């Protein structure tokens, strides 16, 4: 499942993060556990939480990231 | 002309240490700069505000060091203009780097910390926002972090001046170069260090953290946005009108004007000079009445509201919330910040677009601001002109502005080649702004407005007085009659607005106050003024920041739109009303 399709309030492990410099610099990379905070309307970004940080990621990028649900 | 940025013009001794202040965006670097140097510098809670750099002197126990505030960056890959500037500054050489780390986002901040160690320059690390980290249940072992980084680490709460004296000591006592760390993967290393030095405990979620989340969730964020908008309008429009009518206008009308009129009538005969000084467009009267009694209240209240929202960290949340909508006009949502700033003044807004990811985005934002976003001074003029006659007339003019922004944005998005960059935004902490920094910031902005507006305003009013009193207005009015009277259905004298509007945008509105116009004519005049040429400062910045071709194209478009829309609105309203 890609990140943009993830459900709110659930936790996921990220995989196949694109090699985007800003995305990497901001700390979004493979193996991270994230939870979904919210998804914006009209094709807006998805907001994820990594530990106590919140990051908004564009829909186009979020659709490229694989997310595995943490059970 | 670029007086919207603080420039220090510091004469520093040649033997002073050169110190670079570096860090990620939104880590409180500008506040630390402020505390270390005591120099007035505008601080902001938004990524990319410090695009150009500032410098100041650190004075401590008889020593001096030159501190340079380097733009906020995530790394040294020269991926953005800010990173390019930072790399240039490092290559120019320095005696010390102060690297500011955000205690609430340590892991991400360590990437830059590692990069800087490759430059063989002594480094001190500052762990800022430690109070916010503690409130979030994040506890960082500074001694252990210092061992990992092979350099001193100081804990600070810059907004409260905590830890600043110790940092000043360190600036003059640190001489040892930090050996670079041997790192295979900087991301793994930063995670390892952050995990080892950080203890996270669950703490009770405070109201401000809940509010932070409500602001970015559409179901709660959109009602909050409307509430913020209503409050902002209430403060700016309601507060401005109250301040104007209860305090400033009585002061000007009851004390200043009678005093100045009596004074000059006493020794000046009734001639041209007297009319220019204290006549219908008397320079000595209008240069106090227009900027201070009619415009300043709105400018002051706009900057109070904007600065509060900016420093609280609300605006990036708004950017995330509005991203989907902004995409329709080809812009990532975080462009809402220079956009809102444009409602204050277009000059800093245009400069703020330097942080935009692409030339295409810059052209769209700048075109929209220059075409249809009224600055705060012009807003004040509109409220004075229209608000007193009919609030619906005021709302109508702003609806036209909004519709034009949307339609122009859609067209530009289709016409301009390329795609907008994807939005990646780390949402900063939502904070109660530091009142001292906020007060200083508002004061600097108001000072800039007064200093920058006063000279062109004076020249504009002098021009108005000369044109009116010498009878030149009649000649110009006759020449422009087909346009002003025939097409716009305004009186001949309204051509004065077109002449003054070239100098400053609010001057295209103010002369209409002195004419006895119908509501339709007031709306027509306001629509023309809204789209009319950007003021001289804006034209100058457009030429400086873009090619002259783009600047002229924008100016030409606004000019044509002003008369086209003004005439059409007049025809439509006269048909309906």
């Amino acid at each position: 499942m890609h990140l943009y399709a993830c459900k709110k309030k659930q936790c996921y492990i990220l995989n196949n993060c694109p090699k985007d410099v800003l995305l990497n610099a901001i700390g979004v990379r493979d193996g991270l556990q994230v939870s979904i905070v919210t998804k914006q309307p009209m094709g807006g970004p998805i907001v994820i939480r990594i530990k106590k940080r919140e990051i908004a990621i564009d829909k186009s990028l979020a659709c490229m990231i694989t997310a595995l649900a943490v059970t | 002309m670029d007086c919207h940025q603080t420039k220090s013009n510091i004469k520093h001794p040649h033997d002073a240490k050169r110190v670079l202040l570096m860090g990620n965006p939104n880590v409180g670097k500008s506040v630390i700069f402020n505390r270390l140097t005591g120099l007035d510098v505008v601080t902001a809670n938004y990524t990319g505000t410090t695009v150009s750099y500032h410098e100041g002197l650190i004075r401590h126990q008889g020593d001096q060091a030159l501190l340079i505030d380097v733009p906020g960056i995530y790394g040294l890959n020269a991926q953005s203009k800010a990173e390019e500037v930072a790399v240039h500054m490092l290559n120019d050489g320095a005696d010390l780097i102060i690297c500011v780390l955000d205690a609430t986002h340590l892991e991400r901040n360590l990437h830059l910390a590692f990069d800087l160690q490759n430059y063989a320059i002594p480094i001190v690390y500052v762990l800022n926002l430690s109070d916010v980290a503690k409130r979030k249940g994040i506890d960082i072992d500074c001694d252990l972090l210092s061992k990992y980084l092979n350099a001193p680490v100081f804990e600070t709460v810059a907004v409260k001046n905590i830890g600043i004296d110790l940092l000043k000591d360190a600036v003059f006592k640190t001489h040892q170069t930090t050996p670079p760390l041997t790192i295979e993967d900087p991301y793994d290393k930063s995670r390892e260090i952050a995990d080892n030095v950080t203890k996270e405990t669950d703490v009770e979620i405070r109201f401000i953290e809940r509010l932070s989340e409500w602001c970015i969730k559409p179901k709660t964020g959109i009602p909050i946005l409307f509430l913020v908008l209503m409050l902002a309008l209430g403060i700016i429009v309601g507060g401005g009108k109250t301040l104007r009518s209860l305090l400033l206008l009585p002061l000007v009308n009851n004390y200043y004007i009678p005093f100045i009129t009596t004074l000059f009538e006493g020794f000046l005969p009734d001639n041209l000079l007297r009319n220019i000084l204290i006549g219908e467009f008397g320079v000595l009267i209008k240069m106090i009445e227009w900027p201070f009694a009619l415009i300043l209240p709105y400018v002051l209240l706009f900057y109070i509201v904007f600065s509060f929202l900016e420093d609280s960290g609300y605006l990036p949340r708004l950017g995330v919330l509005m991203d989907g909508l902004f995409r329709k006009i080809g812009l990532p949502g975080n462009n809402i910040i220079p956009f809102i700033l444009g409602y204050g003044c277009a000059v800093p807004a245009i400069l703020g677009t330097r942080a935009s990811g692409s030339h295409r985005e810059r052209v769209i934002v700048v075109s929209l601001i220059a075409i249809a976003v009224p600055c705060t001074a012009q807003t004040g003029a509109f409220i004075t002109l229209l608000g007193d006659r009919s609030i619906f007339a005021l709302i109508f003019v702003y609806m036209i502005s909004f519709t034009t922004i949307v339609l122009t944005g859609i067209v530009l998005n289709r016409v301009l080649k390329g795609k907008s960059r994807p939005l990646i935004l780390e949402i900063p902490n939502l904070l109660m702004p530091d009142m001292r920094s906020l007060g200083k910031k508002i004061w600097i902005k108001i000072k800039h407005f007064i200093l920058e507006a006063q000279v062109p305003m004076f020249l504009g009013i002098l021009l108005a007085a000369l044109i009116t009193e010498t009878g030149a207005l009649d000649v110009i009015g006759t020449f422009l009659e087909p346009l002003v009277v025939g097409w716009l259905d305004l009186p001949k004298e309204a051509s004065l607005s077109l002449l003054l509007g070239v100098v400053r945008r609010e001057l295209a509105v103010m002369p209409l106050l002195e004419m006895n116009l119908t509501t339709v004519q007031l709306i027509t005049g306001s629509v023309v003024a809204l789209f009319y040429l950007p003021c001289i400062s804006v034209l100058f910045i457009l030429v400086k920041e873009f090619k002259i071709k783009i600047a002229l194209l924008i100016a030409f478009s606004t000019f044509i739109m002003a008369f086209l829309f003004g005439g059409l609105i007049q025809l439509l309203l006269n048909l309906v009303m």
Side-chain angles (χ1 to χ4, degrees), chain A residues 37-60:
Chain A
V37 179
T38 183
K39 209 186 290 181
Q40 299 301 329
M42 303 173 83
I46 188 165
V47 181
I48 60 169
R49 182 172 289 131
I50 304 173
K51 289 186 179 171
K52 296 189 175 183
R53 302 159 52 202
E54 279 148 3
I55 294 168
I57 301 176
D58 199 84
K59 183 183 175 183
S60 61

Side-chain angles (χ1 to χ4, degrees), chain B residues 138-334:
Chain B
I138 301 167
D139 195 30
I140 295 172
D141 185 337
C142 272
D143 293 334
L144 190 56
L145 181 61
S146 173
K147 280 180 191 161
Y148 274 116
L149 294 171
N150 288 321
V153 177
F154 295 90
E155 210 172 1
T156 61
V157 183
V159 290
K160 292 178 184 160
N161 211 22
I162 296 170
I164 299 296
D165 280 342
L166 284 174
L167 178 61
K168 275 188 182 174
D169 267 341
V171 167
F172 295 99
K173 287 179 184 163
T174 308
H175 304 286
Q176 203 180 338
T177 306
T178 311
L181 293 170
T182 315
I183 297 168
E184 275 184 32
D185 182 338
Y187 301 115
D188 284 345
K189 191 69 184 175
S190 55
R191 188 193 300 188
E192 180 199 323
I193 294 178
D195 284 349
N196 288 343
V197 301
T198 307
K199 268 187 197 162
E200 287 194 17
T201 45
D202 286 330
V203 286
E204 195 186 337
I205 299 172
R206 295 162 66 242
F207 174 73
I208 199 149
E209 275 118 35
R210 285 186 205 281
L211 183 63
S212 165
E213 202 169 308
W214 292 339
C215 288
I216 45 173
K217 287 185 171 173
K219 276 184 190 166
T220 43
I222 292 168
I224 289 173
L225 166 63
F226 277 104
L227 193 68
V228 169
L229 207 63
M230 288 300 121
L231 263 173
L233 283 174
I235 293 170
I236 297 167
V237 180
K241 279 182 90 163
T242 310
L243 211 59
R244 195 189 77 192
S245 54
L246 292 185
L247 179 70
L248 298 167
L249 273 179
L251 273 177
V252 170
N253 290 337
N254 300 340
Y255 297 97
Y256 177 73
I257 295 179
F259 168 74
I260 209 85
T261 313
T262 316
L263 185 73
F264 279 85
E265 276 175 353
F267 67 88
L268 268 184
D270 190 4
N271 59 13
L272 181 68
L273 180 64
R274 190 166 103 175
N275 287 342
I276 287 173
L277 292 177
I278 53 169
E280 191 191 351
F281 282 99
V283 178
L284 293 175
I285 291 172
K286 296 298 175 198
M287 71 174 286
I288 297 295
E289 186 191 348
W290 283 1
F292 292 106
L294 301 182
I295 305 290
L296 190 64
Y298 301 104
V299 176
L300 172 71
L301 291 167
F302 173 85
Y303 280 124
I304 289 175
V305 171
F306 180 81
S307 304
F308 183 88
L309 292 176
E310 191 180 34
D311 280 13
S312 68
Y314 177 70
L315 295 181
R317 286 165 174 77
L318 189 57
V320 171
L321 201 63
M322 301 301 284
D323 184 73
L325 201 63
F326 261 57
R327 293 270 160 200
K328 309 293 175 215
I329 56 169
L331 295 172
N334 47 354

Side-chain angles (χ1 to χ4, degrees), chain A:
Chain A
M1 175 166 50
H2 59 72
L3 181 62
Y4 200 75
C6 291
K7 287 181 187 167
K8 286 178 208 168
K9 294 180 184 174
Q10 279 208 5
C11 289
Y12 298 87
I13 302 282
L14 301 186
N15 239 321
N16 297 329
C17 291
K19 299 257 177 275
D20 183 283
V21 176
L22 185 56
L23 204 60
N24 290 336
I26 226 164
V28 178
R29 56 183 189 277
D30 291 357
L32 269 184
Q33 182 170 324
V34 304
S35 59
I36 311 299
V37 179
T38 183
K39 209 186 290 181
Q40 299 301 329
M42 303 173 83
I46 188 165
V47 181
I48 60 169
R49 182 172 289 131
I50 304 173
K51 289 186 179 171
K52 296 189 175 183
R53 302 159 52 202
E54 279 148 3
I55 294 168
I57 301 176
D58 199 84
K59 183 183 175 183
S60 61
L61 285 173
C63 286
M64 295 159 77
I65 300 171
T66 311
L68 300 169
V70 177
T71 48

Side-chain angles (χ1 to χ4, degrees), chain B residues 24 74-76 97 99 101 106-120 123 125 145 148-150 178-194:
Chain B
N24 285 186
Y74 288 109
L76 294 169
I97 297 170
C99 176
L101 307 169
L106 182 63
E107 183 184 330
R108 184 256 294 154
N109 279 232
L110 286 172
H111 305 160
L112 178 65
F114 299 151
D115 280 354
L116 291 175
Q117 294 197 342
N118 294 322
Y119 279 83
I123 305 179
Y125 292 98
L145 181 61
Y148 274 116
L149 294 171
N150 288 321
T178 311
L181 293 170
T182 315
I183 297 168
E184 275 184 32
D185 182 338
Y187 301 115
D188 284 345
K189 191 69 184 175
S190 55
R191 188 193 300 188
E192 180 199 323
I193 294 178

